[in-house]
Amino acid sequence: MHTAEVPKAERFGWWRDRLMQDLAPTHIASEHADDFRASTAALELGPVNVSFLSFPTLTAVRTTRLIQRSDPELWELGYMASGIMVMDQARSHAQVGAGDLLLYDTSQPVQMQVTEAGWLTILHLPKPAVPLPERSMQDLLSRRLPAQGTGALLAGFLQGLAGGRWSELEAERLGAAAVQLASAYLGGLADREGLLPPETQQSVLLRRVKAFIEAHLAEARLTPQAIADAHNISVRYLHHLFRPEKQTVSALIRDLRLDRCRAELAQPRCATHPIASIGARWGFPDAATFNRTFKAAFGMPPGEYRRWSIACRSADDRP
């Protein structure tokens, strides 16, 4: 939603009110308040929300009093697509610009000054969802975080969410993937900088591995060896990481691929796609193997599942 949709004199107040529906309460001021040109959009993805913002130069301050009034207890992970922002929190000062990531805490006072108009995407992460120690996260606040490696993957993922429309099931999975990617990225930074205690390093690595698997599901060469090589560990150690889990790494890959197939089979826009091509796209090149594996997982072959999904959707659409 863009401020051009409302009268000129009401634009700044309208944008600020819309923003406060998605963000923690914050004082916002701008020299462009008389003719404020900006936009805001929000996306709900199951366990997380995402905000997409464009704005001119402004100042945003979250004070102790505002925190006492309302605190959603979020880690706010942002990606600056363009513009320049100066941020101060937890005795840290940083300038971030186009292509950078940033992190701040809704539970602490923060001041942000946009010195060059830009676009910002914010991933709102509930603190319990991020499996990293509080102290490690604190050391990453108000810094210019590089969008490299997993960071580049995360930035591309967040940008790709803008303007998309998904079913409730797809949104839930995208939200889970966002948490996995963000945790893998932040955990990787903390690990490289020695911010993680030894007992959490293995769980962080497991998160990074799972995020990698999610991002490369469609690749035929996604094997335990390829995953181990990408993380500079042995296949034996990869299997060791999965010992506390309910499934092996190969079973995780298979189940995630089956979930992607099931989601496509249930989508009306995919109704004309050959079933074999859907299976092949998600790592099942042999149609017979795909049929057999799908039936074992969901109790019916993929063709029957597609017909059943369409019938259920049609019944739901009836008045």
Side-chain angles (χ1 to χ4, degrees), residues 153-302:
L153 186 63
L154 174 62
F157 178 84
L158 292 176
Q159 285 187 296
L161 293 173
R165 292 187 178 184
W166 296 277
S167 68
E168 184 177 345
L169 179 59
E170 289 174 318
E172 189 80 24
R173 287 171 174 157
L174 286 170
V179 173
Q180 293 274 9
L181 277 173
S183 299
Y185 171 64
L186 296 170
L189 285 178
D191 190 18
R192 286 192 292 274
E193 297 185 17
L195 304 178
L196 292 179
E199 61 270 18
T200 64
Q201 292 179 7
Q202 182 169 308
S203 63
V204 169
L205 178 56
L206 180 60
R207 287 266 183 172
R208 289 169 61 189
V209 167
K210 288 183 176 180
F212 180 87
I213 291 172
E214 289 266 5
H216 294 82
L217 273 178
E219 298 179 12
R221 297 182 180 180
L222 184 65
T223 63
Q225 184 65 62
I227 296 168
D229 290 344
H231 294 83
N232 297 312
I233 59 176
S234 67
V235 174
R236 182 177 181 179
Y237 188 69
L238 175 65
H239 290 307
H240 171 75
L241 285 176
F242 276 81
R243 281 182 184 172
E245 300 293 299
K246 296 180 180 180
Q247 56 190 169
T248 65
V249 61
S250 296
L252 175 64
I253 294 171
R254 181 200 63 218
D255 290 350
L256 289 174
R257 283 174 165 170
L258 284 171
D259 278 344
R260 298 299 189 277
C261 292
R262 180 171 63 168
E264 284 200 23
L265 288 168
Q267 290 296 319
R269 59 182 173 80
C270 299
T272 60
H273 296 184
I275 288 175
S277 68
I278 292 175
R281 179 159 56 250
W282 292 108
F284 298 99
D286 181 73
T289 300
F290 175 48
N291 282 331
R292 185 169 58 253
T293 306
F294 191 96
K295 182 177 180 179
F298 303 119
M300 62 181 77

Side-chain angles (χ1 to χ4, degrees), residues 4-306:
E5 300 173 10
V6 298
K8 181 177 176 180
E10 301 174 12
R11 289 175 180 174
F12 180 62
W14 175 87
W15 185 84
R16 186 178 54 195
D17 291 344
R18 295 289 305 182
L19 192 66
M20 289 306 99
Q21 295 177 21
D22 304 321
L23 304 184
T26 305
H27 293 307
I28 301 176
S30 174
E31 59 185 4
H32 303 283
D34 293 338
D35 185 13
F36 198 75
R37 300 177 183 273
S39 66
T40 176
L43 182 64
E44 295 185 7
L45 296 176
V48 298
N49 294 330
V50 184
S51 296
F52 307 93
L53 313 172
S54 72
F55 36 67
T57 56
L58 56 80
T59 299
V61 180
R62 180 160 165 78
T63 64
T64 300
R65 180 170 294 183
L66 288 176
I67 294 169
Q68 292 171 345
R69 183 187 306 171
S70 175
D71 181 17
E73 298 188 355
L74 299 170
W75 299 117
E76 303 283 40
L77 182 57
Y79 173 68
M80 292 283 295
S82 63
I84 297 175
M85 178 188 293
V86 178
M87 182 168 58
D88 292 272
Q89 186 175 60
R91 299 181 181 179
S92 295
H93 173 88
Q95 176 175 297
V96 294
D100 293 333
L101 289 154
L102 58 98
L103 180 72
Y104 66 96
D105 180 4
T106 64
S107 303
Q108 298 185 58
V110 61
Q111 178 170 324
M112 294 171 281
Q113 183 176 7
V114 177
T115 59
E116 182 180 303
W119 288 82
L120 174 66
T121 300
I122 302 176
L123 175 62
H124 309 287
L125 292 163
K127 289 185 176 181
V130 182
L132 300 174
E134 176 89 11
R135 182 174 179 179
S136 300
M137 295 292 287
Q138 295 292 335
D139 288 334
L140 296 175
L141 295 176
S142 192
R143 289 174 46 180
R144 176 181 173 272
L145 304 179
Q148 301 172 354
T150 308
L153 186 63
L154 174 62
F157 178 84
L158 292 176
Q159 285 187 296
L161 293 173
R165 292 187 178 184
W166 296 277
S167 68
E168 184 177 345
L169 179 59
E170 289 174 318
E172 189 80 24
R173 287 171 174 157
L174 286 170
V179 173
Q180 293 274 9
L181 277 173
S183 299
Y185 171 64
L186 296 170
L189 285 178
D191 190 18
R192 286 192 292 274
E193 297 185 17
L195 304 178
L196 292 179
E199 61 270 18
T200 64
Q201 292 179 7
Q202 182 169 308
S203 63
V204 169
L205 178 56
L206 180 60
R207 287 266 183 172
R208 289 169 61 189
V209 167
K210 288 183 176 180
F212 180 87
I213 291 172
E214 289 266 5
H216 294 82
L217 273 178
E219 298 179 12
R221 297 182 180 180
L222 184 65
T223 63
Q225 184 65 62
I227 296 168
D229 290 344
H231 294 83
N232 297 312
I233 59 176
S234 67
V235 174
R236 182 177 181 179
Y237 188 69
L238 175 65
H239 290 307
H240 171 75
L241 285 176
F242 276 81
R243 281 182 184 172
E245 300 293 299
K246 296 180 180 180
Q247 56 190 169
T248 65
V249 61
S250 296
L252 175 64
I253 294 171
R254 181 200 63 218
D255 290 350
L256 289 174
R257 283 174 165 170
L258 284 171
D259 278 344
R260 298 299 189 277
C261 292
R262 180 171 63 168
E264 284 200 23
L265 288 168
Q267 290 296 319
R269 59 182 173 80
C270 299
T272 60
H273 296 184
I275 288 175
S277 68
I278 292 175
R281 179 159 56 250
W282 292 108
F284 298 99
D286 181 73
T289 300
F290 175 48
N291 282 331
R292 185 169 58 253
T293 306
F294 191 96
K295 182 177 180 179
F298 303 119
M300 62 181 77
E304 184 178 341
Y305 178 82
R306 170 186 273 175

